[in-house]
Each structure stands twice: as C-alpha cells, then as structure tokens.
Amino acid sequence: MARVDTIVLGAGIVGTSVAVHLAKRGVSVALVERGGPGEGTSYGNTGIIEGNTVFPATFPQSFGALLRVALKQAPEANYHWSFLPTVAPWLLAFRAASRPERLVETAQAMRPLFARAVAEHEALSAEAGSANYLRHNGWLKLYRSDDSFAGTRRERDLAAKFGIANVPLDRDGALALEPSLKPVFRHAVHWTGAVSVTNPLALTRAYAARYTAIGGLSFKGDARSLHRADPYWRVETASGPLDAGDVVVALGPWAPDLLKPLGIRLPLAVKRGYHRHYRPLGNAGLSRPILDVDNGYCLAPMEQGIRLTTGAEFAARDAAPTPVQFGRLMPAARGLFDLGEPVEPQPWMGSRPCFADSRPVIGRAPGQRGLWLAYGHGHWGLSLGPVTGRLIAEMMTGVTPFCDPQPYGAERFTR
Ligand SMILES: Cc1cc2nc3c(=O)[nH]c(=O)nc-3n(C[C@H](O)[C@H](O)[C@H](O)COP(=O)(O)OP(=O)(O)OC[C@H]3O[C@@H](n4cnc5c(N)ncnc54)[C@H](O)[C@@H]3O)c2cc1C
C-alpha cells in the first residue's frame, strides 16, 4: 500500500501544475491519470496564455446574433437540439452573467489570476526547460466592420484601468505585423502582453517531467475509483491502492463523473470545441495567434501547422463529434489566410469545462474533508493552470494565498 500526502487526479495543464506546485513545497504527491499528461482538453487549445483577458465570452448580445445561432448559421456557435433541455438552466445563468454589470464583476474577480498567468508560465517554463515553447509577441483580434470594432470600447476602457497593454491598429498596421493576412478586415487590436504556445501538449509534458524530476510520483489509474478508507482517501491504480489525506480533483470536463457520486453537484457545462491543422500555401505564415472576431474562430501557428480552432458547441460531452462549424467558417478563414491541405484526416474535439459565471472552482470541496477542487477553467485553462497550481498549493500548505480565493469557492453555488 502506497501512501502520500496528496493525490492529484487528472494530469491536464491544471492537475500537472497543481502537482508541481505542491511538490515544490515539500508535499509528497501522486498524480493519477488514465492516459498521458496533457492529452485531454489541454492537448487541443489555441495556445494563448491570456493574461490580457478582461471580459469573458458572453451569451449572444443582440436578437440578430441569437437568431443566427438558433438557425444554426453562426460560425461561432453550434448546438445539439437534444441537449437543449439539459443545458437550458446553465444557459439562463450564462445569460444573466452576461449582463454588463456582471461582466465587470467577473473581470474584477478574475483579474488576480489573469494578472499572474503569464508570469507563472514563465517561471515554470524556466524551471522545466520549456521556455522555447513560449512566444512573447501577443495576439491579434481582427474586426471586419467599424461596428464590431466600436463594440470593443468598454473592454479597452476597463483594460486601461487595469493597466493591460493593447494597441488598436488599422488594417495597414495589422498587416505590418502579419503580412500574410489578406486585407478583408478593417481594424485590429494587438494585445501585446499575451504569450502563445507553439505546442500545448509538449508544454504540459515538460511541466510533468519537471514534476517527476523534483520527486513527484505518477500513476495510471481511474479517478472514479476514489473512495474513503478512513482516515484516508484511496484510489485504485495500476500499481495497487494509493492512500492520501488530501485529494485534488483536476479532471477538467470529467470532474462531475467523480463528484456526482460523492454528492457534489456543481453546475458545470461543457462548450465543445474543435481544431484542425492546415499547411499554409506557398510561403504564407503567421507569427502569433489571430482571432477573426466576426466569424468566431482562431488561427494559431503551431509546430504541427496552422491550427484553426472553433468556438462553442453545446452538446453532451460524450456525444459523437459534429464539426459543422468548419463548413460555416472555412470561406471566411480561407479569405483571410492561405490555408492549404488539412494535416489530419479528421478534426480533434475537446470540451471546455465551463461554469456559467466564467470562474473556475479552486478550493475545498463542500462537505468532504480533505477533498479539494481545481477545475472549470473554461476558455482559459491553459492560461490559468500554473497560477491555479500556486493558489491551491498555498491554500493547502497554510501559506497566505497570493490573492483572496473566495471568488473561486464552490460555496458560491451551494449558498
Ligand atoms: C478549441 C479550444 C481552444 C482553447 N483555447 C484556449 C486558449 O487559447 N487558452 C487557454 O487558456 N485555454 C484554452 N482552451 C481551454 C483549455 O484548453 C482548457 O480549459 C484546459 O485544457 C483545461 O485543463 P484541465 O487540466 O482542467 O483539463 P484536461 O486537460 O481535460 O485534463 C483533465 C485530465 O483528467 C484525465 N481524466 C479524466 N477522467 C479521468 C479518470 N476517470 N481517471 C483518470 N484520469 C482522468 C484526462 O485524461 C485529462 O488528462 C481551449 C479549449 C478548446 C477546446
């Protein structure tokens, strides 16, 4: 029987970062994962470390935008009819959280995490020898109309208050940064402080290797085997049972599989998303990620090619993939950049684990001694993995946390 201080369940970017931060503080840690580190949701993202984030994604703000989604014409969103009754309460909560005053609250609540997102990756990458995967030239949001650019006013005003650097550009200014783009847009905003990753899988693997190098243990196992073996928690692994006084659940979109049987029902939904790599035509290239705001997709230069990532799909996590958004957005994408042949035969699909208030849950699980939660990072799990690792490790080791963790507590749903 192996025994450690803390078991971390799930080796995505969040769980791996939590494990490293605990191990660095002298805690004996076992990281339990059914696959390999970083092969879940953390594999397929756009690779942007978004320290610049101000407002979260919102419920469609105009009747026209909602109608386009409802009629399945919007490139940025899709849904399965059969899933609507299940997700309806979450969508109503999401709509309420999209009110202007709530967006400002969210921006303020999340600022401490975003403000440290880049620095925590840089620090961990310096230790892990993975700084070569980080690109320090920001990201670029493109606007095809004057109206959509005008819509950024509130966000940029608040960014100025928070001291977040951004540079509004006209078309020529943006083309000077990214000469391979076609001039089909009118405005851009360059968020200069963001960092991007050339291979998110390799980055998580590097953090996992660092964890091993400082003495962290890793096991193959099914997190759902977690049960009480008083006074400990026990999980069954391929190497036998493993006990610990504390357990951190970092299972991303799979967290409810473990938590529901334990009686912890937090209102998580998933926003599924897809990616596919394309070979650029000729000598076209990108030097940083691009968001085509009016068409709701990103193009990100990765080691594997240009990674095109899609917006949200509301569907059951395990339902068969329906990558219909590619059909809706490819004309716009090909009009913006010379995308050649796809690299893979089929798109990759992942599930962003999202709470309607666009905040993760970081802290103690309600009603279960020794159980901790670190999941629900939605659109920003790559960005916030290392800072989450720091915060929860500080909470668990009795150090004064670098920020007030109260906005991320599970109690906000159970009160
Ligand atoms: C298309 C797309 C684009 C995105 N772009 C960005 C971006 O640019 N920037 C950003 O910050 N974020 C982005 N995200 C979000 C980000 O990828 C996620 O928030 C993040 O990966 C979540 O990390 P995680 O560690 O919580 O979950 P995961 O990476 O899913 O890790 C959970 C782990 O738990 C393991 N697991 C599950 N069940 C079990 C079990 N029963 N037993 C053992 N192990 C189990 C899984 O195998 C997995 O490895 C994007 C997401 C998508 C889908």
Side-chain angles (χ1 to χ4, degrees):
M1 167 83 56
R3 183 176 302 151
V4 290
D5 296 331
T6 302
I7 295 170
V8 178
L9 299 174
I13 186 65
V14 175
T16 303
S17 302
V18 169
V20 187
H21 269 283
L22 285 168
K24 275 166 56 157
R25 286 164 177 77
V27 178
S28 68
V29 187
L31 182 55
V32 176
E33 164 64 53
R34 63 181 173 193
E39 293 175 4
T41 325
S42 301
Y43 171 80
N45 50 60
T46 313
I48 309 167
I49 301 174
E50 294 184 50
N52 63 277
T53 295
V54 180
F55 291 140
T58 55
F59 193 83
Q61 299 285 290
S62 68
F63 179 71
L66 182 59
L67 191 65
R68 247 170 29 125
V69 175
L71 295 175
K72 290 183 174 263
Q73 289 170 359
E76 70 273 15
N78 190 44
Y79 65 92
H80 289 187
W81 281 106
S82 58
F83 191 60
L84 285 186
T86 310
V87 79
W90 188 97
L91 286 174
L92 288 175
F94 185 49
R95 191 179 65 169
S98 299
R99 287 200 306 265
E101 68 281 8
R102 291 280 308 277
L103 292 180
V104 174
E105 267 174 42
T106 303
Q108 283 163 340
M110 290 297 290
R111 191 76 312 252
L113 298 185
F114 284 121
R116 285 184 82 118
V118 167
E120 292 294 341
H121 268 286
E122 286 173 341
L124 208 46
S125 277
E127 292 171 25
S130 54
N132 56 311
Y133 295 116
L134 305 183
R135 230 176 352 221
H136 297 264
N137 58 359
W139 72 307
L140 203 57
K141 298 190 186 184
L142 306 181
Y143 302 86
R144 293 189 182 230
S145 74
D146 295 342
D147 278 355
S148 66
F149 176 67
T152 66
R153 187 73 260 168
R154 276 185 74 234
E155 182 175 40
R156 286 186 296 115
D157 285 349
L158 196 51
K161 282 193 192 139
F162 289 152
I164 305 170
N166 65 90
V167 183
L169 297 167
D170 61 12
R171 185 193 295 145
D172 288 345
L175 291 176
L177 288 177
E178 295 293 349
S180 295
L181 294 178
K182 314 260 184 67
V184 292
F185 57 92
R186 290 183 60 78
H187 303 273
V189 178
H190 183 198
W191 295 88
T192 50
V195 165
S196 59
V197 178
T198 55
N199 186 334
L201 173 64
L203 189 73
T204 307
R205 282 183 175 163
Y207 293 172
R210 173 69 186 154
Y211 162 73
T212 304
I214 58 174
L217 304 174
S218 295
F219 293 86
K220 281 255 182 284
D222 187 339
R224 292 169 300 180
S225 64
L226 184 77
H227 59 280
R228 284 249 182 230
D230 271 336
Y232 300 106
W233 287 100
R234 177 169 300 168
V235 70
E236 307 298 333
T237 76
S239 314
L242 181 62
D243 283 6
D246 286 306
V247 173
V248 182
V249 180
L251 294 168
W254 293 277
D257 298 359
L258 172 83
L259 295 175
K260 275 188 190 160
L262 294 174
I264 300 169
R265 293 176 164 271
L266 303 183
L268 188 85
V270 296
K271 291 187 195 171
R272 305 199 315 178
Y274 300 83
H275 86 218
R276 200 169 187 186
H277 296 102
Y278 294 84
R279 295 187 185 89
L281 286 179
N283 61 359
L286 291 174
S287 49
R288 55 177 68 70
I290 308 290
L291 169 64
D292 182 351
V293 173
D294 300 316
N295 291 290
Y297 66 90
C298 285
L299 297 176
M302 295 277 173
E303 287 181 353
Q304 301 97 318
I306 300 290
R307 180 178 287 188
L308 189 159
T309 55
T310 67
E313 182 179 65
F314 292 96
R317 183 192 66 199
D318 299 330
T322 48
V324 295
Q325 283 157 278
F326 284 86
R328 297 180 205 158
L329 60 81
M330 281 318 282
R334 290 197 190 283
L336 177 66
F337 182 83
D338 276 333
L339 292 170
E341 289 302 305
V343 173
E344 305 90 358
Q346 296 297 331
W348 169 90
M349 186 187 81
S351 297
R352 302 174 185 91
C354 299
F355 289 105
D357 62 5
S358 296
R359 295 185 227 160
V361 166
I362 305 170
R364 286 184 183 279
Q368 292 284 0
R369 184 172 37 85
L371 195 65
W372 299 78
L373 306 175
Y375 76 106
H377 292 73
H379 291 254
W380 305 306
L382 171 71
S383 307
L384 301 180
V387 73
T388 298
R390 169 178 294 278
L391 181 58
I392 204 159
E394 288 174 348
M395 293 168 79
M396 292 178 74
T397 55
V399 173
T400 304
F402 76 88
C403 73
D404 177 7
Q406 188 263 337
Y408 324 118
E411 298 74 25
R412 68 188 194 269
F413 299 114
T414 54
R415 252 182 236 123

